[in-house]
Amino acid sequence: MSKEKAKTEKKDEDVASIFAALKYGPAPEADNVARAWLDDHGRQFGHFIDNKWTIPENRKTYNTICPSTGEILASTVQGEKEDVDLAVSAARRAFESWSKASGHYRARILYSIARHVQKHMRLLSVIESLDNGKPIRESRDSDIPTVIRHLYHHAGWAQLMDMEMANWKPIGVVGAIVPWNFPLMLLTWKICPALAMGNTVVLKPATYTRLSALLFGEICAEAGLPPGVFNVVTGAGSVGSMLATHPDVDKVGFTGSTEVGQLLRRATAGTGKKLSLELGGKSPVIVFESADLDSAVEGVVDAIWFNQGQVCSAGSRLLLQESIYDDFVQRVKSRMSHLRLGHCLDKTIDMGAVVDESQLKSIEELVQSARLEGAQVYQMNAGIPKKGLYYPPTLITGVQTVSRVVVEEIFGPVVVVLPFRTAKEAIELGNNTKFGLAGSVWTENVSLGLEVALSLKAGSIWINCHNLFDAAAGFGGYRQSGYGRDGGKEGLYEYVRPRWEGRPAVHSSPVDFKKFGDTIPSRPTFENVDIAQLLIDGIMLPTIDRTYKMYYGGSQQRPDAPYSRPIVSPSGKVIGHVGEGNRKDIRNAVEAAHKAAPGWGKRASHNRAQIVLYLAENLELRRQEFIGRLILMTGCTEEVAKQEVDLSIQRLFHWGAYADKYGGTVQETTLYGATVKVHDPVGVIAIVCPDDHPLLAFVSLLAPAIVRANCIVIIPSQKHPLLALDLYQVFDTSDLPGGVINIVTGDQDHLTKYLTEHQDVQSVWYFGSAQGSAFVEYTSAENVKRTWVNYGQSRDWTKPDQGQGEEFLYHSIQVKNIWIPMGDIYAN
């Protein structure tokens, strides 16, 4: 055999073996530009403040390490208080001009930043992957395009602010604190709406991943963003706390763990700072027997192994209908055998390294707990690089609903599997979590998919897909997944305040949170008692004593403890007594509200509107009675009393009109399909009313809450509660279902304490003292409930912008976006 023939046959064998094995060869992304950028800075970075590099003296440094290799990429400064002060001062100075600039000017700047990010797209992608460990194709094809999309989208909102957000104005200086899993993408989710609405920003990037934020600062300066509008301060977690509590920061936007979010809520309580939290998740992936199973398997891959499972919306709970359970688990295991782990810059890998050794240990510890509980742990350990922080894709079966790996967020490439029989059981399992960030439903039955999506308590629900994001659709959670939204018009409200409202001037004295609300019930009163009399058959008789009871579950209720509270007129006369509510009364009222909530939420919006208009009709029938009661209780003139009653009737009409006009919209995302924004009710809302305008404020607060399908527990004015209690008969004659409105009277702060501490109250609206506002915000951190407080400052309830503005609707709903892809007819 000739040498030439032998070579040909050898070559043929090599080609045949390649086709037989179909192994991937290495396809590394070039990192020369990224390394040149690092070298340009001597691999040492300071803060980026006022469009300048600031390297303060005598600071500790932190080494940024590539998780794929352990290589030290650069050192960055560990900031201190002086650095935070410097950055916030720069942002405050810049705010004076940036907030006054035209929307068109801000739109041009954001557009320019988008263009410059596109020019440096590959550099950003490589830096992001080196810094974080995620595969380059995820940074290149997902993260950076999403960054660009947000910049363009919010340039549009800057242009339209004067029209679309005419009743709102910028807040001021925003402190943005972002995590390490999507360092650049989540950064833009905060700064784009903030800058578009005229705010300035100080950013604190995550400890592990600082480089892309610093590079982005340079790009913003290159694009023409004025100095001080965007600033970056690096440092440990304590720097984030310094930023959040800085007296000249007006708003804190945070993405991260629920535990840190709770700390921030407590740290900022009572300060007047606006706060939005995008926190942890334990998202369900619900697969029905009617699903396209092959597509659903790929969906599981996207749901849990995207970014190594280090995604707050990761589909870490796989719920399978019993009929397909065994088959589907086997399909997932087979698919796992084809997942490739490797260096972050290898374009052929599916998973990279986890971000840090501490995160790796946390994942290992939770998986080991599953083994100890008797679960079956399946892992694909073949092909894992020996060097770097890698964890294999993991599937856990044989778990219970109370297992740690089912309850706790793992934040790694680990999915747990649970069976279900019926759609109702799937919904119950899906909602059986303290979180509520996202979820997905897999079925070819459209009506089933939509009904399940509407029933899941989470901010984003994907049908036959998972982990889709777009600037036009807000992302955020329910429950302990936080509140506020990133993206969409709904995300703009996190960075504005009503135009009439000034910056809260909070001068709250220290609050003893343990003793707040302590009270001693009233004792008998015999002096200054105003005993009404009637002339009957020529004899003056005292009127029959009326006992004002509480009202919950659709009927009058005596207080749990038989105490009463005297109500005094402006002249000092006792004109009545009301029940002194306590913890058990709050418990009973909340239970009544939750009992009513499912039925009230399923009523047609037209029906809710009719009931609210019926309330207005019946209130007008008793107009003279309420005018007289206002004069007796508050000492106001007849003209003022008439205005308050008439405005209360008008408010009921106003909010009744919104019952069927604020349900949501179709978002214009990049999805080929429909992204439907649904305005869900918040749930059970606790409302504490002010003393001024006791009828008008009461009506103005309850009406928007109930028209948007919430049920409420409401505490009327402490000084003037009789008006609210006189509404019993109005409620009972207006077809209002029992439990929708529940009234508890007594010491407001005492009752506020138990409402705020209640684990099954979803939101608290408090209009009282500065100390009470601080208590509500501080205590709400326990289960991350939403709050709306006035910091002890009054508003003019008679003015439309203050008594019936859009902020009432904002606080009455939570946004859910349902993603429904298409593609059966036209591929896109």
Side-chain angles (χ1 to χ4, degrees), residues 119 194 346 432 456 487 528 812:
K119 295 172 186 177
D346 187 342
N432 185 30
L456 291 173
N528 296 322
S812 297

Side-chain angles (χ1 to χ4, degrees), residues 432-610:
N432 185 30
T433 173
K434 65 181 180 181
F435 300 111
L437 190 57
S440 60
V441 184
W442 297 81
T443 175
E444 296 295 286
N445 184 334
V446 176
S447 63
L448 173 64
L450 280 173
E451 191 167 9
V452 173
L454 287 167
S455 300
L456 291 173
K457 304 299 182 185
S460 294
I461 302 294
W462 298 283
I463 297 179
N464 295 329
C465 53
H466 201 104
N467 280 337
L468 298 184
F469 310 105
D470 187 76
F475 183 80
Y478 293 13
R479 300 173 175 172
Q480 292 192 38
S481 289
Y483 40 77
R485 294 293 180 265
D486 292 320
K489 187 177 183 181
E490 56 267 33
L492 301 181
Y493 296 104
E494 306 306 321
Y495 298 92
V496 291
R497 61 164 51 102
R499 188 164 290 282
W500 66 267
E501 187 178 79
R503 189 184 186 201
V506 180
H507 301 290
S508 174
S509 57
V511 181
D512 188 336
F513 295 115
K514 290 185 178 179
K515 293 185 178 180
F516 179 85
D518 287 355
T519 187
I520 299 175
S522 301
R523 277 76 67 202
T525 53
F526 60 92
E527 296 178 348
N528 296 322
V529 177
D530 189 4
I531 299 176
Q533 293 183 320
L534 288 175
L535 180 65
I536 299 177
D537 295 333
I539 302 172
M540 292 300 295
L541 297 174
T543 56
I544 298 173
D545 181 72
R546 178 183 177 186
T547 303
Y548 283 91
K549 298 182 179 68
M550 300 178 191
Y551 182 81
Y552 54 81
S555 61
Q556 299 181 47
Q557 304 285 346
R558 290 184 175 85
D560 170 73
Y563 291 114
S564 61
R565 165 179 290 268
I567 304 303
V568 181
S569 71
S571 64
K573 296 287 188 180
V574 176
I575 57 176
H577 288 79
V578 299
E580 189 76 75
N582 65 13
R583 176 173 54 85
K584 290 185 179 179
D585 296 306
I586 293 297
R587 178 200 65 189
N588 294 340
V590 172
E591 286 179 358
H594 273 289
K595 187 176 180 180
W600 185 241
K602 286 185 171 60
R603 285 196 178 225
S605 54
H606 173 71
N607 182 255
R608 292 197 300 272
Q610 291 297 106

Side-chain angles (χ1 to χ4, degrees), residues 79-127:
E80 296 183 5
K81 183 180 182 301
E82 292 80 5
D83 307 326
V84 175
D85 290 342
L86 182 66
V88 173
S89 296
R92 177 57 63 187
R93 288 193 305 273
F95 177 72
E96 296 305 314
S97 55
W98 181 251
S99 62
K100 294 181 178 68
S102 69
H104 179 62
Y105 173 79
R106 293 198 298 270
R108 281 174 173 260
I109 295 294
L110 285 167
Y111 178 83
S112 178
I113 296 172
R115 297 290 287 173
H116 280 76
V117 168
Q118 286 181 308
K119 295 172 186 177
H120 300 293
M121 188 173 178
R122 192 54 60 91
L123 170 61
L124 283 163
S125 301
V126 174
I127 287 293

Side-chain angles (χ1 to χ4, degrees), residues 79 192 232 349 416 436 452 691 801:
C192 287
V232 183
I349 66 162
V416 299
V452 173
D691 286 329
D801 58 344

